[in-house]
Amino acid sequence: MPIELKCHRGIGPAVTGPALVADDNFSARYDLDRIKGTFSRPAHKLFGQSYVGKILVLVTAKGGVASAWMLREMAARGMAPKAIVFDRANTILAQGAAFAEMTMVDRFEAGDPTRLIQNGDELRIEPELGLVTILNRG
Amino acid sequence: MQLTDEERGMLAGEHGRARQWALRHQIEVGEFFDAPDFVPVGQAHVMADTESLGEEGVRWLESLAALPPGERRVRVPTITDPRGVDFDTYKRLGQTDAMAQIEARAISAFESLGVLMTNTCINYQTILPPVRGEHLAMGDTGVVIYSNSVMGACSNFEGGPSALAAGLTGRTPRYGYHLDRHRAGTKHFHVTQEVRDLADWGALGGIVGRATNSYWEVPVIAGIDRSPNSDELKHFGAALASFGSVALFHMPGVTPEAPTLDAAFQGRPVPAAQIIGAAELQEFYAIYAAKGDKVDVVVFGAPQLSLLEVERLAGLLDGRQVHSATTLIVTTSPEIKFAADRMGLTRRIEDAGGIVAAGICFYQSYAREMAEANGWQRLVTNSAKLVNIIGGYGYKPTLAGTEHCVDCAVSGRIV
């Protein structure tokens, strides 16, 4: 049986994809080279890695109101993550996900998802149900 | 969410397509955060520089602007955060005509929506200060934390689309800092060191922000030995919001919801304090120290400067000259720039070799492209918020006190 993780009801469509996990936070303005599609802030734990098409699993969102516009702009160029999973989202990223029609979930019953999900796990996210399934483990 | 008849009408499209989109967007966000209903707002403040909007965002704004006037105009006063380009200075900063053109398109679209182009992140100092208990939809994390903490108003971080939605509907979902129960202190800090320069206030905000690190935590900062002024709290709050995603703090004896330490925690048990002293502040500066390095650009901004900050800088630069290999940039709001022009402050700064830009705030102004066009790498600033952000744009930032920044600009090296 795949591992099922219950979370709060989320935003956006159901998606499947590979997880890119870090015990770190997220801001589209501060952390990313949005042209190259990589994490560009040297202090970020995913520095240098591509996020395009990945399901990002991170702890929380940081300051940076701009992220609300940026997710949609990144999605329009095909240079966006497929979804973002947070332990706890902040308002900006939730608003940005709603605007970009990007999948986002947070608040897991079993705790911090960066400890529950491993890098490279294949995930199925169903925001309406508040459910994340780890397809490759169980 | 519980909706009024008017809100149901907006959702059904009876108030036009823009308001229908706006309310639908707000419901999606409100349900994510378990908002029970909507709350009317007095102002909305939209962060929408073209670097973050991109072509996609500008086209989207233009699609709203093409609607009939009755459908597209905002219902409550809606103002803007700094923009990507100042048309008077963009060429001197190495920005391009293409950047100016997309900026002009965004401005034209916003004006069609009835948005006031204030282009400022210090609207609480220059436009209409928030009032205690007033519900607002503020963009710019620095504006939100100042409005909530120093003025006692109620706002969440509202990203550009959400703030514009609030302007169109005149309301916002009631969640987060619109609810009293989220406004109690949750973490306790005690400052044992005197905090002097604006950079020290930013460093303190950065230290508390790193240790707090959540939108949903409310730090309480005790031990401050005097009432800070508006610029000091501006730098403290902006750094706290930037480093920690924090939207509300209390400072017992200073901020309105914290007449006492107990009141800051709404009568709940006061947790043990984390001490912040001279060593912690020194460690914070040390992260960014680069003594002896060549200085490419010195930036005063993030947040934009008040008139008093501009006046102080003019005084520090009188009789001196910025090094020929270094660029010194001051960013302020259009209103303050007008005042600075009128009072001769702009001339004094520019006579010393500086550039005074209006309506931008550096990091929202194509910082990466400016670095590439000008060969900039080492950046010195008195803004802790800026040192936190600008590393992601390929700069090597150094935090320094205001006078120290000017000394670096004049010598061309970090002294």
Side-chain angles (χ1 to χ4, degrees):
Chain A
M1 277 289 286
I3 300 169
E4 292 193 339
L5 304 171
K6 284 291 293 172
C7 59
H8 193 277
R9 180 195 159 138
I11 286 171
V15 292
T16 303
L20 182 60
V21 187
D23 174 20
D24 206 333
N25 303 319
F26 182 83
S27 162
R29 163 101 73 192
Y30 300 178
D31 294 335
L32 307 183
D33 182 330
R34 286 171 285 120
I35 306 303
K36 291 183 188 154
T38 56
F39 282 84
S40 63
R41 194 167 57 85
H44 200 282
K45 287 179 182 157
L46 296 176
F47 175 66
Q49 299 209 47
S50 170
Y51 54 76
V52 178
K54 304 279 174 54
I55 294 178
L56 290 174
V57 183
L58 296 162
V59 181
T60 190
K62 286 177 311 194
V65 169
S67 298
W69 291 110
M70 287 176 174
L71 293 185
R72 184 181 175 118
E73 190 274 336
M74 289 153 62
R77 287 186 291 111
M79 294 294 280
K82 189 171 264 183
I84 309 181
V85 174
F86 284 120
D87 181 29
R88 195 82 203 264
N90 78 355
T91 63
I92 297 299
L93 268 290
Q95 295 159 6
F99 185 56
E101 296 173 19
M102 182 184 290
T103 303
M104 183 172 293
V105 291
D106 76 343
R107 284 164 283 175
F108 285 78
E109 285 179 2
D112 182 351
T114 68
R115 295 169 200 275
L116 303 169
I117 299 168
Q118 294 169 7
N119 225 357
D121 275 349
E122 190 71 7
L123 304 181
R124 172 81 181 156
I125 304 181
E126 294 167 277
E128 287 257 331
L129 303 177
L131 185 66
V132 174
T133 309
I134 305 175
L135 300 170
N136 58 303
R137 286 195 285 140
Chain B
M1 284 178 72
Q2 194 175 341
L3 302 183
T4 63
D5 287 345
E6 188 183 22
E7 287 154 3
R8 274 193 288 275
M10 284 189 206
L11 194 58
E14 292 164 14
H15 300 256
R17 284 157 284 183
R19 268 172 268 283
Q20 184 180 34
W21 163 79
L23 203 84
R24 196 180 284 155
H25 171 81
Q26 291 183 305
I27 289 172
E28 192 164 14
V29 174
E31 287 185 342
F32 186 79
F33 290 114
D34 303 315
D37 59 2
F38 281 95
V39 59
V41 295
Q43 285 182 59
H45 176 250
V46 184
M47 185 265 135
D49 63 76
T50 44
E51 189 214 330
S52 39
L53 281 169
E55 177 67 26
E56 167 70 17
V58 173
R59 272 200 209 141
W60 180 80
L61 283 177
E62 287 173 336
S63 73
L64 290 186
L67 295 170
E71 286 194 33
R72 71 182 185 229
R73 294 187 72 81
V74 292
R75 283 196 171 168
V76 294
T78 302
I79 61 178
T80 56
D81 208 31
R83 310 222 48 75
V85 167
D86 169 11
F87 295 112
D88 291 333
T89 57
Y90 77 93
K91 288 190 175 163
R92 293 160 74 193
L93 296 174
Q95 296 174 318
T96 65
D97 289 334
M99 293 171 188
Q101 282 159 11
I102 194 170
E103 197 66 49
R105 283 172 54 200
I107 290 168
S108 172
F110 273 124
E111 287 175 342
S112 295
L113 303 177
V115 173
L116 298 168
M117 303 309 292
T118 54
N119 305 344
T120 184
C121 53
I122 54 167
N123 52 305
Y124 49 83
Q125 290 181 323
T126 59
I127 304 294
L128 193 69
V131 171
R132 186 170 183 182
E134 188 180 14
H135 292 275
L136 302 162
M138 294 302 198
D140 194 297
T141 59
V143 171
V144 173
I145 195 169
Y146 193 100
S147 301
N148 282 340
S149 312
V150 181
M151 321 301 276
C154 307
S155 179
N156 288 309
F157 288 174
E158 297 267 12
S162 295
L164 184 57
L168 287 163
T169 64
R171 64 204 73 210
T172 196
R174 194 192 303 267
Y175 66 91
Y177 294 103
H178 295 286
L179 299 166
D180 278 347
R181 67 171 184 273
H182 289 304
R183 299 178 70 94
T186 62
K187 294 205 171 197
H188 183 194
F189 298 86
H190 192 92
V191 180
T192 58
Q193 168 70 12
E194 188 188 352
V195 188
R196 290 184 293 265
D197 193 81
L198 294 176
D200 295 341
W201 284 98
L204 181 62
I207 293 166
V208 174
R210 279 206 173 128
T212 304
N213 207 24
S214 166
Y215 185 79
W216 306 99
E217 299 276 356
V218 179
V220 176
I221 301 91
I224 302 294
D225 58 358
R226 64 182 170 88
S227 280
N229 71 23
S230 174
D231 286 329
E232 291 167 333
L233 288 172
K234 171 173 82 173
H235 273 269
F236 172 75
L240 176 50
S242 179
F243 279 88
S245 190
V246 171
L248 172 66
F249 68 86
H250 299 305
M251 209 173 262
V254 175
T255 58
E257 290 168 71
T260 64
L261 186 63
D262 285 334
F265 289 94
Q266 292 186 2
R268 298 172 200 177
V270 175
Q274 182 174 329
I275 303 297
I276 301 173
E280 284 74 18
L281 281 165
Q282 280 166 13
E283 278 170 27
F284 190 87
Y285 278 99
I287 298 167
Y288 305 101
K291 199 168 171 127
D293 257 29
K294 175 181 176 294
V295 176
D296 298 313
V297 58
V298 177
V299 179
F300 296 96
Q304 290 173 334
L305 274 64
S306 71
L307 185 64
L308 305 194
E309 287 178 277
V310 177
E311 194 266 345
R312 176 156 185 246
L313 262 185
L316 290 171
L317 283 162
D318 278 342
R320 304 174 83 184
Q321 200 64 36
V322 173
H323 193 275
S324 58
T326 302
T327 304
L328 182 146
I329 301 169
V330 176
T331 65
T332 189
S333 79
E335 272 61 45
I336 298 302
K337 172 68 164 43
F338 183 75
D341 290 353
R342 188 165 59 84
M343 297 175 197
L345 305 175
T346 306
R347 185 185 48 72
R348 284 163 62 191
I349 292 169
E350 300 216 335
D351 281 353
I355 297 171
V356 183
I360 64 171
C361 201
F362 193 78
Y363 70 94
Q364 291 163 306
S365 306
Y366 303 94
R368 186 185 305 281
E369 290 83 352
M370 280 197 287
E372 286 165 3
N374 296 297
W376 291 340
Q377 192 170 47
R378 176 59 63 188
L379 178 150
V380 177
T381 179
N382 67 349
S383 163
K385 171 174 177 164
L386 189 59
V387 298
N388 186 42
I389 297 171
I390 211 68
Y393 284 95
Y395 290 77
K396 292 180 177 172
T398 293
L399 180 68
T402 310
E403 285 183 40
H404 190 186
C405 286
V406 172
D407 291 343
C408 293
V410 168
S411 69
R413 298 206 165 265
I414 299 181
V415 289

